[in-house]
Amino acid sequence: MSFVNSLIDLWHTTGIYGFLQAGGWRNLVMIGVGLLLIWLAIKKGFEPLLLIPIGFGAVLTNIPFAEIASHTVQILASDGTVVTEKFGGFIGQFYDVGIASGLFPLLIFMGVGAMTDFGPLLANPKTLLLGAAAQFGIFIALFGSVLLERISGFSFVEGPGNTTLAKSILHVAGSIGIIGGADGPTAIFTATRLAPKYLGPIAVAAYSYMALVPIIQPPIMKMLTTDAERKIKMEQLRYVTKAEKILFPIIVLFLCILLLPSATPLIGMLMFGNVLKESLVTDRLSDTAQNALMNAVTIMLGLSVGSKMSGDMFLKFTTILILLLGLMAFMVGTMTGVLLAKLMNKLSPKHPINPLIGAAGVSAVPMAARVVNKVGLKSNPNNYLLMHAMGPNVAGVIGSAVAAGILLALVPILGIS
């Protein structure tokens, strides 16, 4: 009899048994989603550096009983000291140390800065406006989230209709809105401070839309532009001196310190990484920031984001709604970038810009710029827009960080703690 009981106990530890339990189908669905992301990365080439870790993290976290994504449990002892009662799974520890603390986004921004050439932006400063315009979707989604709760009665936050609830609604709305910047590190950094409860779906949405830029953006770009506009060839960019490239990150950092300190962590790390690159006397540090460190953090961050795609947490109406609002924000950001470029051509017809580069204002670097170049080449095989698109693209990185700083600054201004 004991042998039979042992077999039963063993059966209860198998993955098959776990999948057969109530809700087990959700884990199977999310494993399928994880495998789909891996397939898109390998077969279609959609941001493989992001989608393979995220997809694999989703597969690992949905394995029954493995607790790979479980979090470290700490308790407060009688003498006031914090005692670790149970360490979490290895991906859960990645999440606790790097995502929940906001550390990984800052390290990613340093690596992005070390890989970024602000030359195209400095050569054509008006493209900074396109990067700013593409952040419009962030605030549309913010107000849309608040409006949705007011009109429909649906609430992201469970609780009585009191002041605390109203504050929480703004927190969540701001975190959802930042998805529109298509900047995963910025979305994570903002959500950890405003709505940590929804950090998982917000991070997944932001990184998913970054990876799906080649699918989402081209139809919008073609819808808003004519064939003649897509064929516009832009003037060759002027030469940018080394002094300009070194002074730019320092000036931007000081402006941020003076005007928007809440954005300083993101802007500061971005500009620090760029100074490492442009100074030419810190090659070893620059190489580490943009290669070894960046790659290691990307692996841990991707697995951590994927760990939030567990069936019980992800397959909820609230999560689906966050994904849809984030998609709306991203699409609006793409549209406003293109439309502003068209407006700029109306105001300055002597020096036209190809409206397609406005779509690169979302900060999915460099994927958005590559998509702009690809769409432009389809209309005119001799029209190379990549370097022109990099201007608004890197401006979008700065713009999304500034937008995050504005959202974080609005909290104390509105009396929200």
Side-chain angles (χ1 to χ4, degrees):
M1 191 67 179
S2 59
F3 176 72
V4 174
N5 290 335
S6 297
L7 288 178
I8 293 174
D9 292 339
L10 180 62
W11 163 248
H12 288 168
T13 64
T14 63
I16 299 174
Y17 176 80
F19 288 130
L20 292 175
Q21 298 307 295
W25 64 271
R26 292 187 175 91
N27 297 99
L28 284 172
V29 169
M30 294 312 298
I31 287 176
V33 171
L35 294 174
L36 174 63
L37 295 180
I38 295 172
W39 179 82
L40 288 172
I42 297 174
K43 183 68 175 179
K44 300 296 184 179
F46 293 166
E47 288 292 341
L49 296 181
L50 293 175
L51 287 194
I52 289 180
I54 292 175
F56 217 89
V59 172
L60 291 174
T61 198
N62 282 284
I63 298 174
F65 312 128
E67 297 188 350
I68 293 174
S70 62
H71 299 286
T72 298
V73 178
Q74 294 181 324
I75 58 174
L76 192 64
S78 57
D79 60 355
T81 59
V82 177
V83 179
T84 298
E85 186 178 65
K86 178 186 177 184
F87 284 103
F90 75 93
I91 297 181
Q93 293 187 57
F94 288 163
Y95 186 92
D96 292 335
V97 172
I99 301 293
S101 67
L103 175 62
F104 285 171
L106 298 179
L107 293 177
I108 291 289
F109 253 60
M110 179 177 67
V112 170
M115 292 188 293
T116 298
D117 180 7
F118 286 114
L121 175 61
L122 294 172
N124 193 3
K126 65 182 180 182
T127 58
L128 183 66
L129 297 175
L130 300 178
Q135 311 311 313
F136 190 72
I138 292 175
F139 298 97
I140 287 293
L142 185 153
F143 293 121
S145 301
V146 174
L147 191 63
L148 175 68
E149 296 204 358
R150 296 302 184 191
I151 294 177
S152 69
F154 168 81
S155 177
F156 289 101
V157 186
E158 297 179 359
N162 52 28
T163 306
T164 302
L165 177 60
K167 294 176 181 178
S168 299
I169 288 172
L170 186 58
H171 281 222
V172 176
S175 299
I176 294 172
I178 205 68
I179 298 171
D183 189 332
T186 303
I188 291 173
F189 184 82
T190 306
T192 54
R193 283 152 179 76
L194 296 183
K197 178 180 178 181
Y198 295 102
L199 179 54
I202 287 170
V204 171
Y207 275 105
S208 296
Y209 298 141
M210 285 176 64
L212 296 177
V213 163
I215 294 178
I216 299 172
Q217 283 198 319
I220 298 173
M221 296 157 66
K222 293 177 181 178
M223 178 183 68
L224 296 177
T225 58
T226 64
D227 186 60
E229 287 175 326
R230 293 193 291 272
K231 289 180 178 178
I232 293 176
K233 296 189 71 172
M234 298 180 64
E235 299 174 359
Q236 185 173 350
L237 296 173
R238 72 171 179 85
Y239 173 75
V240 179
T241 66
K242 180 59 65 176
E244 289 177 281
K245 290 186 177 182
I246 294 176
L247 285 173
F248 177 75
I250 297 174
I251 292 172
V252 170
L253 176 59
F254 273 97
L255 288 175
C256 182
I257 292 171
L258 294 175
L259 302 177
L260 197 62
S262 55
T264 303
L266 289 170
I267 294 291
M269 292 302 285
L270 179 70
M271 297 307 161
F272 170 60
N274 193 247
V275 169
L276 291 179
K277 172 183 182 292
E278 300 295 352
S279 66
L280 298 181
V281 294
T282 53
D283 289 345
R284 287 171 55 190
L285 299 182
S286 176
D287 180 70
T288 299
Q290 61 183 286
N291 291 301
L293 181 59
M294 183 75 160
N295 292 337
V297 174
T298 299
I299 290 172
M300 292 185 286
L301 185 143
L303 289 172
S304 300
V305 170
S307 74
K308 290 300 166 183
M309 296 176 68
S310 62
D312 58 336
M313 295 174 57
F314 204 81
L315 294 179
K316 293 181 177 180
F317 176 72
T318 302
T319 301
I320 303 301
L321 190 58
I322 288 174
L323 292 173
L324 292 175
L325 288 169
L327 177 60
M328 179 191 73
F330 180 65
M331 294 174 68
V332 170
T334 300
M335 294 170 64
T336 51
V338 174
L339 292 174
L340 180 62
K342 290 166 69 75
L343 177 62
M344 292 170 69
N345 282 343
K346 295 289 185 182
L347 299 177
S348 180
K350 292 184 179 180
H351 302 284
I353 61 175
N354 193 307
L356 293 177
I357 71 170
V362 297
S363 55
V365 180
M367 178 61 78
R370 291 174 182 166
V371 170
V372 167
N373 187 60
K374 185 176 180 180
V375 174
L377 286 173
K378 285 184 177 180
S379 294
N380 182 354
N382 297 315
N383 195 9
Y384 297 95
L385 298 173
L386 181 61
M387 292 308 298
H388 298 284
M390 284 305 297
N393 207 189
V394 297
V397 178
I398 299 174
S400 65
V402 170
I406 292 173
L407 293 174
L408 294 173
L410 280 174
V411 172
I413 290 176
L414 297 176
I416 302 173
S417 58

